[in-house]
Amino acid sequence: MISPAAIRNIMQSHGISCRKSLGQNFLIDNNIVRKIIASADLTESDLVVEIGPGLGALTTEIAHRAGKVIAVELDRGLLAALSEILSGLPNVEMILGDALKIDFDRLAGERTGEEYGSTGKKYKLMANLPYYITSPVLMRLLLGRFNISIIVIMIQVEVAERLAAAPGSKAYGALSLAVQYFAKPEILFRVPRTVFYPEPGVDSAVVRLTVRPEPAAVVCDENMLFNIIRSAFGKRRKTLLNSLTGSALGIDRDTCLSGLRNAGIDPGRRAETLSLAEFASLTNSIIEANS
Ligand code: SAM
C-alpha cells in the first residue's frame, strides 16, 4: 500500500529527496494504481518492461499480476530503497539505465533468456513517465520498432490529447501523426495532480497505445513522410504549398504543386486539415514528382 506518509518515511530513512530534474512525482493513490494496472490486461505469461519505477508504486502491483517485470530506473539514488520495497518479489529485475538509450528488445532477451526481438515474443511497456522526456521516449519506442504489443503510460493530459487528436482539432500535429502511424492511441482516464507526491503543476491522463503490426499507411520513404509532416506543421498557419516549399526539405514550388495535385490535395489547405492517409499519398506523389 502506498501513501504520502509511507513515501516520506522511505525517503527519510534512505536520505532521498525528490529530484525535480528527473520528473520525480511519485504516485500516492492506490485506486489510480489499480486502474492503471487493469488497463494493461496483465496475465502470468506477460513480460512487462517498466520505465522509471521510482519507489515501486506501479512495479509492485505489476509484479503481482505479470510473469516478470524489468524495471529501468535512471536514478542510482533510488535503488537501495527500491530493492527494499521489492524484496519479496522474485519476478522483478531492477536495471540502472536510461530509457532514452536502452535497446529494450535486447534487454528483454538478456534478462529472460528468451527471444523477444522482432521474430520473438512481444512484451508490454508501462510507465508513469517523467514529463520532461515523454515525447522523446515515446518516439524512441515507436521508431525503434521494439517488439512491444501495448504501451500503457501516464503522461501530461495535454500531451495525451495531442497523441489521440484527429485532423482539424487544435491538438492535432506532428506528434499525433507520428504516433498514430505506429499505434492506436486511446485516452483511458484523467488523473488529477493531487495523487502525486510532490504535486506537479499539471494534470495527467493514462493512455494505452496498441502497437500496429504494420504502420497505418504505406509510404515509399518513411523519413520523407516525417520530414514532410514536420515541415508542414512547422508553419501550421501557412498553406501547404508555402510551408513545404519554404522549408529545409529542398522541394521546389513546381514539384510541390504537382505532388499536391497528383495526391488530390488543394495546395491552399493547411497541415492541420490533412489525414495521415493524405500525408502518405502526398509523400509518395512528391517522391514520384522528384524522380
Ligand atoms: N513509477 C513511479 C511512480 O509512479 O510513483 C515513479 C514515476 S516518476 C513520474 C518518473 C520516474 O522515472 C522517476 O523515478 C525518475 O527517476 C525516472 N526517470 C527519469 N528519467 C528517466 C530515464 N531517462 N530513464 C529511466 N527512468 C527515468
Side-chain angles (χ1 to χ4, degrees), residues 24-134:
Q24 290 181 352
N25 302 98
F26 301 115
L27 258 173
I28 50 169
D29 184 303
N30 292 293
N31 281 331
I32 298 292
V33 169
R34 274 192 285 273
K35 278 180 84 174
I36 296 172
I37 301 297
S39 309
D41 293 328
L42 297 176
T43 70
E44 279 179 9
S45 61
D46 280 323
L47 168 66
V48 177
V49 173
E50 186 194 4
I51 295 175
L55 292 171
L58 289 175
T59 326
T60 310
E61 294 306 313
I62 300 170
H64 284 140
R65 282 163 186 78
K68 187 171 176 74
V69 191
I70 302 174
V72 179
E73 173 57 57
L74 182 63
D75 186 359
R76 185 184 292 276
L78 296 181
L79 291 190
L82 190 55
S83 54
E84 188 181 308
I85 293 161
L86 302 174
S87 59
L89 298 164
N91 60 340
V92 182
E93 279 207 46
M94 278 180 313
I95 307 291
L96 182 64
D98 184 344
L100 289 171
K101 296 192 179 138
I102 280 180
D103 179 335
F104 290 99
D105 284 3
R106 185 190 292 177
L107 177 71
E110 281 170 2
R111 300 293 160 156
T112 57
E114 293 178 70
E115 178 57 48
Y116 275 97
S118 54
T119 54
K121 291 202 284 183
K122 290 189 184 291
Y123 51 96
K124 296 180 175 175
L125 191 130
M126 299 185 74
N128 169 12
L129 273 183
Y131 299 133
Y132 78 108
I133 48 164
T134 301

